[in-house]
Amino acid sequence: MKKEREALYLGGHKIGYRAIKGTERGVLYKKNDEEVFQPCTSFIQDMLTGP
């Protein structure tokens, strides 16, 4: 997995980092002190539907 150096911000809040895992682009963020990779499509879908 390759993590980019610049942070990804949403609404002025740092939410994680852009990352590439294999051929898939996504977001790398921390959840309960564990780094989690989530593909872009599912990340955007989760952001739109909410908790």
Side-chain angles (χ1 to χ4, degrees):
M1 182 175 343
K2 181 180 176 184
K3 175 176 131 180
E4 295 185 6
R5 286 192 284 172
E6 292 186 28
L8 181 63
Y9 289 87
L10 184 64
H13 299 282
K14 182 174 138 185
I15 57 171
Y17 295 90
R18 292 181 356 178
I20 299 173
K21 187 175 186 181
T23 59
E24 195 167 31
R25 293 189 71 81
V27 178
L28 185 64
Y29 62 95
K30 281 199 172 192
K31 184 175 184 179
N32 299 329
D33 294 331
E34 182 180 338
E35 283 193 332
V36 177
F37 175 82
Q38 189 171 10
C40 284
T41 52
S42 64
F43 181 78
I44 292 169
Q45 187 177 24
D46 287 352
M47 294 300 294
L48 293 174
T49 58

